[in-house]
Amino acid sequence: MRMRKRRNLAPRMERCAELLISEPEQMKGKWKDLLPGCGVLWLELGCGKGRFTAELAETEPQVLLVALERVPDAMIIAMERAKNRGLPNVRFIDGNASLLDTFFGAGEVDRIFINFCDPWPKSRDAKLRLTSPAFLRQYCDVLPVGGQICFKTDNTPLFDWSVSVFKDEKWQLSELTHDLHADGPLGIMTDYEAKFYAEGMKINRLVATKTAATLGTAAGPVARLKDASLTDARGYAESRAAFENRKEQE
Ligand SMILES: C[S@@+](CC[C@H](N)C(=O)[O-])C[C@H]1O[C@@H](n2cnc3c(N)ncnc32)[C@H](O)[C@@H]1O
């Protein structure tokens, strides 16, 4: 996500300090203590400006929702949304999803949301996609058997590529659709999703469930990704760039 530098980032972060977990490594294995009585922890990767984060936390008050984002200029908007709604059950990590296993213990996370992650269309960048094999193995480690990943994207080449990675890594797939909102808006939309939906773009979604056969990091190194470019990368990159430009002017 290309972002304008937010003015007053530091004081705005300070005002939302109670929502930020500044040393997430210290919380490993203890996250659920943050919300007494809560038995469930959900994790959103790349929350961006947090429309989905705030609405999900409000809809599911018994769930502790942790939102992780590596761009603080986007995350501050998500944090302010959560603070303005007075949500007691959401926390934020300013960090990279590649460090997930340092933040969460084995089986500690019950569900992971990956919404409109960056597609990284070039083959040489495929390992950075949040649905690449190395990421899926980390997710496997922090989820229990039966734990789920909910994945949404407008990018069909990324979605189709991800489906094959999930299958190779032995996740059980369900609720797979290439047009989530075919019969009208369904579920909580993210910031990106609301824009794409308004523009008439189709949204892909699937749920991947961990089984006893799903591969984790103990299964060893992942094979080198071959021929992993996304086929319509050029056209997609241009439309995403146009979208970002429009957003910057808003
Ligand atoms: C295209 S935006 C989507 C934002 C939001 N999920 C939505 O749907 O509106 C992708 C977001 O994921 C974040 N992101 C990408 N890779 C990440 C990573 N490895 N760790 C944490 N955040 C990441 C980006 O900074 C960006 O804010």
Side-chain angles (χ1 to χ4, degrees):
M1 180 185 268
R2 279 191 307 127
M3 289 287 307
R4 254 178 321 200
K5 277 270 166 235
R6 303 270 161 205
R7 277 185 293 157
N8 304 324
L9 180 63
R12 289 169 70 188
M13 279 284 193
E14 191 55 41
R15 279 195 289 277
C16 297
E18 77 272 18
L19 300 182
L20 181 68
I21 303 296
S22 50
E23 293 185 353
E25 305 82 4
Q26 303 295 324
M27 293 306 300
K28 189 170 180 174
K30 297 184 284 200
W31 284 94
K32 290 176 188 168
D33 297 348
L34 288 172
L35 191 67
C38 109
V40 182
L41 167 57
W42 290 353
L43 171 66
E44 184 188 359
L45 302 180
C47 69
K49 296 179 184 173
R51 168 180 168 146
F52 179 86
T53 319
E55 287 189 30
L56 182 62
E58 197 163 61
T59 312
E60 303 281 353
Q62 79 292 356
V63 170
L64 175 66
L65 178 61
V66 177
L68 181 146
E69 170 57 57
R70 68 175 179 186
V71 176
D73 288 297
M75 197 178 74
I76 186 59
I77 298 175
M79 294 172 77
E80 288 172 344
R81 274 176 159 164
K83 186 176 168 68
N84 290 343
R85 291 189 190 204
L87 298 170
N89 59 328
V90 58
R91 297 291 187 281
F92 292 85
I93 300 175
D94 172 14
N96 197 307
S98 61
L99 297 174
L100 220 58
D101 56 350
T102 67
F103 301 154
F104 299 96
E108 189 174 16
V109 179
D110 298 286
R111 185 176 295 177
I112 294 174
F113 295 91
I114 305 173
N115 293 323
F116 301 85
C117 59
D118 301 323
W120 296 105
K122 290 183 182 152
S123 185
R124 67 165 184 260
D125 294 329
K127 59 184 178 304
L128 299 173
R129 297 173 195 152
L130 292 185
T131 52
S132 68
F135 275 109
L136 293 195
R137 293 206 183 177
Q138 279 203 54
Y139 308 153
C140 176
D141 288 356
V142 302
L143 289 166
V145 169
Q148 294 182 323
I149 299 172
C150 300
F151 173 49
K152 287 198 272 192
T153 178
D154 58 305
N155 188 311
T156 299
L158 171 67
F159 186 75
D160 293 343
W161 181 83
S162 303
V163 166
S164 68
V165 178
F166 276 116
K167 285 182 178 167
D168 288 348
E169 294 288 315
K170 306 193 189 315
W171 293 79
Q172 191 178 75
L173 299 187
S174 60
E175 302 180 39
L176 194 153
T177 174
H178 286 286
D179 191 2
L180 176 62
H181 305 300
D183 299 321
L186 191 63
I188 297 171
M189 287 203 196
T190 77
D191 292 283
Y192 271 66
E193 185 174 9
K195 292 271 187 185
F196 291 143
Y197 178 72
E199 291 176 2
M201 291 171 71
K202 291 187 175 154
I203 306 299
N204 303 278
R205 181 177 182 269
L206 63 75
V207 175
T209 303
K210 174 177 168 176
T211 72
T214 305
L215 303 180
T217 54
V222 294
R224 214 176 124 254
L225 292 168
K226 292 193 198 114
D227 303 327
S229 60
L230 301 181
T231 48
D232 71 346
R234 178 173 292 272
Y236 178 80
E238 282 167 3
S239 71
R240 174 61 64 90
F243 173 66
E244 296 283 3
N245 282 340
R246 264 203 314 284
K247 274 190 5 166
E248 292 214 344
Q249 279 152 23
E250 282 170 10

